[in-house]
Amino acid sequence: MPRTSSENHRRALLKLAGAAALTSPVLVRAALTIEIVGGSGKEIPVTVLPLANQERQKDKVSEIVLGDLLRSGLFREQSAGWMAQFPSEPEQVDWRNLRNRGVENLVIGNIVERSDGRLALRFRLMDAIKQNQRTGFSYTIPSGQLRATAHKIADVIYEELTGEAGAFATRICYVVKNNDRYELQVADADGGNADYILANREPIISPAWSPDGNRIAYVSFEKKRSIVFVHTLSDGNRHVVANFEGSNSAPSWSPDGQRLAVTLSRDGVAQIYAVNADGSGLTRLTNSLSIDTEAAWSPDARTMLFTSDRGGSPQVYRMPVGGGAAERMTFEGTYNVTPRWSPDGKSFCFIQRNGGRYNVAIQEIGSRSAQLLTDGRIDSSPTFSPNGRMILYASEFNKRGILAAVSRDGRIKQRLSEATGSVREPAWGPLSKSR
Amino acid sequence: MKNIALLLTLAVFAAGCANQDVKEQSKAAVEQRDLLESQRKSDEEAKRAQIAREQEELNRQLEDQKQRQAQDTAEVKPLAQPNVAERPLGDLRSQLKDPASPLSKRSIFYDYDRFDVKNDYRGLVEAHAKLMLDNKELKMRVEGNCDERGSTEYNLSLGQRRADGVKRALMVLGVPANRIEAVSYGEEKPKATGQDDDSYGENRRSDIIYPGYE
């Protein structure tokens, strides 16, 4: 198993961070800051009160929950600044006053530090009109999981009030380029908890999350050529999946996490192959004289979308997962690339050249026309949130690479940027299974 | 939500009324579109056929070359061997730097979304092929690159096609495949960082590199 010096360096850093943790609480890394540049126009009012005793903790639960909800663009904050005291139990709530102030959805709760050092956290979402509880959960957690738990609470509230699953308790990864240093970073979906899993002096592209969220496949140029790796997050180990003559790239996981589609140029021109996640069992899937790349395994594991220039210009095609006759999917314009399935398999997003611009578009399966969602100069690498509501993509702002997100209906736009460096190649991880 | 749905219904209703008047016009538009569609299809078929023809031609040349080489090596081997040993590469570094030397030119540039080596670069490729043939232990690396627009992955494949195209041209000229490594950096290593056509043009290139002599 190859191990680079950058990896060793990383291990040393981790150890250092562990030792330093005794005296200084965290290894601070620059976080993405998120800015909303559009809204749905019809937001749900929500009031999230500070949880009793939350001020004793580093992560302020109510602020994280409210931040998540507001960034979705579907909520607006109804302030409770006028309250003399914040209730933490239903019987402490002054319903009459709330109603007079127009409060509709109220979040209350408390945190208790247990004798074993863990935290007992409780929250309730109250309907202030009906004066009853809509939902509520309690959690017993190590204090280090407070931030993650706050994201889970935001997911519960989001689902209760909008009717669709939330995606706040998920992770994203992306590549940060700072001068000649490339870092593959993993962060919470709100940009918090960012840390890198690989640092190189050579480019890193095309990260792809395994369906269980514990592995990331990516392409690294650390050996001065493109090689596909699979990297396990829990232990930091990694192995080579494809390292043939020419280019090795574009990994895409099968829904069961057993196989990867990859693009290899070893037989003369970029073609799509399938390979087991351990690098064995290579099978060729396309046979053309053209570039075939960017395979995307459908959620139902039956077909693959991919990019091919077999028709004279790069377009999106679909074929059975075992290879075979391909059907052309995109017909508008002369440049349609990087197809990505929506999680429900009913549509796909991709990049379409739009005059001199390159923008994110979305198209229903079965339709021949697409809807443009963005208007940047060069947008690329779109990736669906696991609840299918948002599309994260790479864009630029002030000539710097940034990440941006747009809702699938195009109405909500977010801009995410890091304090320094250029951010590119985002990939949104899967939903966590626990709640 | 309800309001939006109502507005939408009204809009559809209004559009429906307008439809009656434009039916004839839209029929003509459909015919026009069908015409354009079939035109586009035949253009694509022509391009595809051309790519296939080019590929065939290259393969044929390659095959001829292989056969010639097989004959050649058998006949000229005894003569070629001492030549190699007597030709030190000490001056290669300075030749690569000397603007007067044809070897100082080591970049091949391309049009947008194209990978064919244009005729303008015939001399350049021939000069490097000669160097490789004269120095049998010399190895070469060809790095394909693209401009930053579009898909990272499509550009990686396009860059590989560019590098492979240069490698194939060198092979046709007699350089053995195992002495040329063709790789792609896609859009990852731009030479020019501007966002204009000149910069893009400078980034759509294959670079010839002699590891150890640069």
Side-chain angles (χ1 to χ4, degrees):
Chain A
M1 201 169 291
R3 179 156 294 150
T4 60
S5 61
S6 57
E7 235 193 331
N8 291 332
H9 173 65
R10 162 92 183 106
R11 278 165 182 273
L13 251 183
L14 267 181
K15 265 187 209 152
L16 238 170
L22 296 172
T23 47
S24 84
V26 277
L27 172 71
V28 180
R29 296 206 54 84
L32 296 163
T33 47
I34 303 182
E35 175 193 349
I36 303 174
V37 288
S40 73
K42 201 170 187 300
E43 295 89 2
I44 302 168
V46 65
T47 305
V48 185
L49 298 183
L51 273 56
N53 303 321
Q54 80 166 19
E55 70 282 354
R56 295 163 55 88
Q57 309 298 326
K58 179 173 65 71
D59 293 316
K60 308 290 182 259
V61 173
S62 65
E63 290 168 19
I64 296 168
V65 170
L66 184 64
D68 281 347
L69 295 174
L70 294 183
R71 270 190 306 276
S72 74
L74 297 181
F75 295 86
R76 72 184 152 84
E77 182 190 11
Q78 221 162 14
S79 168
W82 47 270
M83 282 187 185
Q85 231 179 347
F86 296 128
S88 60
E89 296 294 336
E91 52 273 19
Q92 298 166 347
V93 178
D94 177 356
W95 297 110
R96 178 190 289 263
N97 210 351
L98 278 184
R99 245 158 91 177
N100 290 343
R101 302 268 185 166
V103 170
E104 292 176 35
N105 300 298
L106 179 73
V107 179
I108 57 173
N110 62 29
I111 298 174
V112 176
E113 289 176 19
R114 291 165 35 126
S115 54
D116 63 1
R118 293 195 295 168
L119 301 174
L121 184 156
R122 210 155 62 170
F123 89 93
R124 299 173 199 272
L125 169 63
M126 308 298 297
D127 183 330
I129 313 288
K130 292 184 186 150
Q131 302 185 7
N132 60 14
Q133 176 176 322
R134 293 189 67 151
T135 184
F137 282 91
S138 67
Y139 307 83
T140 305
I141 52 161
S143 61
Q145 279 182 24
L146 205 50
R147 174 170 284 274
T149 307
H151 291 313
K152 284 184 188 172
I153 292 172
D155 279 339
V156 172
I157 296 169
Y158 181 95
E159 183 162 357
E160 177 64 30
L161 295 180
T162 68
E164 43 178 89
F168 302 120
T170 56
R171 292 190 290 178
I172 57 173
C173 69
Y174 47 86
V175 176
V176 179
K177 181 178 186 241
N178 229 330
N179 298 318
D180 281 340
R181 183 181 167 88
Y182 298 81
E183 285 188 3
L184 177 56
Q185 293 195 3
V186 173
D188 291 349
D190 67 347
N193 267 336
D195 204 350
Y196 67 95
I197 63 165
L198 177 74
N200 268 350
R201 291 260 162 217
E202 296 290 339
I204 305 164
I205 60 167
S206 305
W209 290 86
S210 65
D212 65 4
N214 191 31
R215 291 169 293 171
I216 296 178
Y218 54 77
V219 178
S220 170
F221 289 77
E222 63 201 54
K223 301 268 191 261
K224 303 250 175 212
R225 44 197 300 277
S226 54
I227 297 170
V228 179
F229 292 87
V230 166
H231 194 122
T232 304
L233 296 180
S234 50
D235 59 14
N237 284 327
R238 61 180 199 154
H239 62 268
V240 171
V241 173
N243 179 13
F244 298 96
E245 194 185 343
S247 298
N248 305 270
S249 67
S252 162
W253 292 88
S254 63
D256 65 3
Q258 301 288 308
R259 307 260 291 161
L260 285 157
V262 291
T263 297
L264 310 176
S265 73
R266 56 172 232 163
D267 292 324
V269 62
Q271 296 284 293
I272 296 167
Y273 300 72
V275 63
N276 292 328
D278 65 2
S280 67
L282 187 74
T283 329
R284 184 166 171 176
L285 299 184
T286 59
N287 286 283
S288 75
L289 289 173
S290 314
I291 291 174
D292 295 337
T293 186
E294 301 189 304
W297 226 294
S298 67
D300 69 5
R302 294 158 77 144
T303 62
M304 277 180 196
L305 291 171
F306 64 101
T307 304
S308 175
D309 63 356
R310 59 186 64 189
S313 66
Q315 298 289 346
V316 176
Y317 291 78
R318 180 165 68 159
M319 67 175 173
V321 283
E327 167 198 6
R328 184 166 162 178
M329 304 295 280
T330 51
F331 297 90
E332 297 167 319
T334 54
Y335 196 95
N336 294 298
V337 296
T338 325
R340 298 281 184 259
W341 290 94
S342 65
D344 64 7
K346 288 180 180 158
S347 58
F348 63 102
C349 65
F350 59 102
I351 296 296
Q352 180 170 73
R353 187 172 60 209
N354 168 25
R357 293 172 180 269
Y358 294 76
N359 297 127
V360 179
I362 188 167
Q363 183 171 318
E364 301 292 318
I365 296 291
S367 162
R368 287 184 151 221
S369 66
Q371 184 198 349
L372 271 175
L373 298 179
T374 66
D375 56 6
R377 199 179 66 88
I378 301 178
D379 300 329
S380 62
S381 310
T383 170
F384 268 101
S385 66
N387 64 353
R389 167 137 202 111
M390 301 293 289
I391 298 164
L392 182 67
Y393 61 99
S395 187
E396 52 168 34
F397 188 64
N398 291 338
K399 294 202 167 181
R400 231 161 40 122
I402 62 153
L403 302 186
V406 62
S407 59
R408 58 173 302 149
D409 59 9
R411 296 172 73 172
I412 297 157
K413 287 183 174 148
Q414 302 171 348
R415 206 156 45 210
L416 304 79
S417 61
E418 209 186 50
T420 56
S422 210
V423 194
R424 352 179 18 226
E425 302 286 303
W428 206 319
L431 283 177
S432 67
K433 288 184 183 78
S434 66
R435 167 147 295 169
Chain B
M1 245 348 187
K2 251 179 204 160
N3 285 341
I4 293 169
L6 187 65
L7 273 177
L8 272 178
T9 321
L10 283 174
V12 170
F13 177 72
C17 293
N19 256 347
Q20 296 289 345
D21 306 329
V22 295
K23 223 168 209 169
E24 282 310 307
Q25 264 171 293
S26 69
K27 198 173 164 197
V30 166
E31 279 166 8
Q32 176 71 12
R33 203 189 54 206
D34 289 348
L35 204 68
L36 286 172
E37 175 74 3
S38 68
Q39 176 68 36
R40 189 187 52 73
K41 267 193 184 144
S42 68
D43 283 356
E44 280 179 4
E45 269 161 26
K47 190 168 173 191
R48 193 162 27 184
Q50 194 197 334
I51 290 173
R53 271 200 305 278
E54 281 171 9
Q55 183 79 30
E56 244 170 55
E57 173 65 12
L58 269 173
N59 287 344
R60 198 183 53 72
Q61 287 179 9
L62 218 54
E63 205 44 51
D64 286 359
Q65 189 62 40
K66 262 189 205 153
Q67 280 175 8
R68 271 203 305 277
Q69 240 176 329
Q71 292 163 2
D72 284 356
T73 34
E75 285 166 34
V76 301
K77 208 169 186 181
L79 281 177
Q81 283 293 36
N83 256 354
V84 173
E86 285 162 21
R87 257 192 105 94
L89 275 161
D91 64 336
L92 179 57
R93 257 191 207 93
S94 52
Q95 278 189 66
L96 294 176
K97 278 192 196 130
D98 179 8
S101 162
L103 298 176
S104 68
K105 294 195 172 45
R106 293 192 294 287
S107 290
I108 292 146
F109 297 94
Y110 302 87
D111 292 336
Y112 177 79
D113 200 19
R114 295 304 300 262
F115 53 86
D116 50 308
V117 179
K118 288 193 259 184
N119 274 339
D120 317 14
Y121 298 103
R122 187 168 284 216
L124 186 156
V125 173
E126 283 168 355
H128 288 279
K130 183 169 186 311
L131 178 71
M132 290 291 282
L133 290 171
D134 288 350
N135 301 280
K136 299 246 186 293
E137 78 284 19
L138 191 59
K139 299 238 177 192
M140 177 197 275
R141 197 172 138 88
V142 184
E143 295 179 350
N145 296 276
C146 301
D147 70 45
E148 61 171 333
R149 296 171 294 171
S151 153
T152 311
E153 279 289 348
Y154 181 74
N155 281 339
L156 184 67
S157 296
L158 184 59
Q160 186 69 44
R161 233 178 162 172
R162 287 175 176 162
D164 283 341
V166 175
K167 176 173 176 170
R168 216 166 286 147
L170 288 157
M171 286 161 67
V172 169
L173 293 169
V175 184
N178 62 11
R179 290 175 52 206
I180 313 166
E181 185 188 23
V183 300
S184 173
Y185 278 112
E187 61 181 73
E188 307 305 315
K189 299 247 166 145
K191 204 186 237 172
T193 51
Q195 300 181 333
D196 48 76
D197 286 343
D198 286 349
S199 300
Y200 294 151
E202 210 174 315
N203 293 336
R204 291 190 301 267
R205 69 187 195 283
S206 287
D207 289 332
I208 289 173
I209 288 160
Y210 296 99
Y213 292 93
E214 302 284 319

